[in-house]
Amino acid sequence: MTKARNIFTIVMLAVGGALLLAGAALFLIGFGLEGWDADALTNVQYEQHSYTAQGEIHSVHIRFGNAQVRVKADEGAERVTLSYPVRVDSEGETAVPVTVTEENGTLTVTEEEDRFPFFQWGFVQTTPEAVLTLPAGDYTEIAVVSSNGSLLADTVRAASLSLQTDNGSVTAREVCADDFSLRTSNGDIELQRAECKSITAETNAGSITADGVTVSGALALSSDLGDIRMKDIAAGSLSSETEAGALTLEGADIAGEADLQTDLGEIRVRGARAASAALTTDLGTVDAEIDAREVRLTCSAGEIRAALAGTKEDYTIRVQTELGDCNVVDRDGGTRSLTATTALGNIRVEFTG
């Protein structure tokens, strides 16, 4: 009897949950058919404010709890301007203040912490946008932080450039910086036509795309969960690492070492030059077309395929596979070196010289 009652209770809960969801869906459909605005069913509202800098600005610090932020340079702009959101209550009074200060050439924008975040409700939650417009030129520092919102930097030049968000994508187009860092906990990162001395891009969950990037020093790309795609890269050194995801490199000129690592995923390299190259995956295929003095190809379970510049006689070769075939054997005497190791998989090497 007890077992029967438990089954009956579970069935009734399931039916009740289904009816509740159906009722909510019908309510929203009817709401829309009547022409009502679903945005009105929320206590989260914003007013857009604006600010124009009074003096010359060389540094900008921006911090928002909830906002998308765009930073762009404008050849026609004479002063730094900012359009930014301020959260207000149902009566139009400021609920979460935003402070804008200008001192000694530094513009600081800070949204205060929401003291009552659990009192936010609504069927539709929108992320407001802040837009910073800069006169074209070189800046000392630009740092943008958002807890919830995507970030975009467009045609910006700065000695130090930093974009950081907890939830949202990070995009940079045609930026120039000595030190450039991009970080997101949950979102994709996209780099297009950047020219910097060093770049660090990190995401915990998301893909990274780098296209047309030139770095005189170190280019470091890291994702815990996501693919990393690189195209037309020039760098002093390249480090690209993901725990779960594929790594793709098409067209690269690396003065030092190119180090590509993934725990779970394929590594594919085409048209790359480097002083040395290390391609490592635990589970996946390594497929490389590369010109390097030192090449190290490693995977625990997967096939290794390589097309290397030069002739076989140019290389000192060390190969090892525990379960698989190999079309080259160990040899000494070359000025270049190849090390290829897989526990489970074939090794196939071609020489293009």
Side-chain angles (χ1 to χ4, degrees):
M1 182 66 70
T2 301
K3 183 177 181 181
R5 281 200 302 268
N6 289 339
I7 293 175
F8 178 78
T9 301
I10 293 173
V11 171
M12 290 298 99
L13 287 173
V15 171
L19 291 174
L20 179 62
L21 290 175
L26 289 173
F27 171 76
L28 290 175
I29 291 171
F31 197 78
L33 291 175
E34 288 297 320
W36 293 357
D37 184 7
D39 289 348
L41 292 178
T42 179
N43 69 342
V44 180
Q45 302 177 50
Y46 291 90
E47 287 183 351
Q48 207 67 19
H49 292 214
S50 62
Y51 180 85
T52 300
Q54 301 303 303
E56 184 177 353
I57 300 297
H58 56 72
S59 297
V60 179
H61 300 159
I62 296 177
R63 179 181 292 274
F64 275 95
N66 185 57
Q68 302 182 79
V69 183
R70 285 194 294 146
V71 182
K72 61 180 183 178
D74 185 351
E75 294 284 351
E78 297 182 356
R79 292 182 179 273
V80 172
T81 60
L82 174 69
S83 173
Y84 62 98
V86 176
R87 185 182 165 193
V88 297
D89 60 24
S90 58
E91 297 179 355
E93 298 294 329
T94 298
V96 181
V98 177
T99 303
V100 182
T101 61
E102 179 182 341
E103 185 176 359
N104 298 326
T106 299
L107 179 67
T108 302
V109 183
T110 305
E111 182 182 43
E112 294 185 13
E113 185 176 355
D114 187 356
R115 293 176 296 173
F116 307 104
F118 300 107
F119 289 91
Q120 298 182 23
W121 58 268
F123 284 100
V124 178
Q125 296 282 357
T126 59
T127 304
E129 184 179 57
V131 180
L132 176 71
T133 303
L134 306 169
D138 296 327
Y139 292 81
T140 302
E141 181 183 13
I142 297 175
V144 180
V145 177
S146 178
S147 297
N148 181 41
S150 297
L151 307 179
L152 168 64
D154 195 353
T155 62
V156 174
R157 301 174 61 92
S160 176
L161 177 59
S162 174
L163 306 174
Q164 179 176 335
T165 181
D166 291 335
N167 294 291
S169 62
V170 180
T171 303
R173 303 184 184 125
E174 297 187 22
V175 302
C176 182
D178 290 346
D179 181 16
F180 186 19
S181 66
L182 310 88
R183 291 181 173 86
T184 175
S185 297
N186 181 30
D188 298 335
I189 293 177
E190 183 176 355
L191 274 163
Q192 296 181 3
R193 300 179 300 279
E195 186 173 347
C196 303
K197 290 185 178 179
S198 68
I199 295 178
T200 301
E202 300 176 359
T203 176
N204 292 339
S207 64
I208 298 177
T209 302
D211 188 353
V213 174
T214 299
V215 182
S216 58
L219 172 59
L221 311 175
S222 175
S223 173
D224 289 343
L225 178 61
D227 297 338
I228 299 179
R229 297 178 289 270
M230 299 158 283
K231 183 178 180 181
D232 297 333
I233 303 297
S237 64
L238 170 63
S239 173
S240 180
E241 180 178 359
T242 178
E243 293 184 8
L247 299 177
T248 304
L249 177 61
E250 296 184 12
D253 191 352
I254 311 300
E257 182 174 54
D259 185 3
L260 280 63
Q261 298 183 39
T262 176
D263 292 340
L264 176 62
E266 178 189 31
I267 299 177
R268 187 176 187 273
V269 176
R270 290 291 181 271
R273 298 180 58 184
S276 63
L279 314 181
T280 305
T281 177
D282 286 341
L283 181 59
T285 300
V286 175
D287 187 355
E289 176 190 298
I290 195 164
D291 180 355
R293 307 297 296 180
E294 180 183 357
V295 180
R296 302 187 302 277
L297 311 174
T298 307
C299 63
S300 298
E303 188 173 66
I304 292 176
R305 299 188 295 268
L308 306 181
T311 66
K312 182 168 64 176
E313 288 70 27
D314 292 331
Y315 288 82
T316 294
I317 300 175
R318 295 290 183 269
V319 292
Q320 180 180 353
T321 177
E322 296 181 10
L323 185 60
D325 297 327
C326 183
N327 71 334
V328 293
V329 297
D330 291 354
R331 71 178 305 275
D332 295 317
T335 57
R336 299 181 182 228
S337 67
L338 165 65
T339 302
T341 304
T342 178
L344 177 61
N346 300 325
I347 298 176
R348 295 287 182 267
V349 180
E350 297 178 1
F351 300 93
T352 61

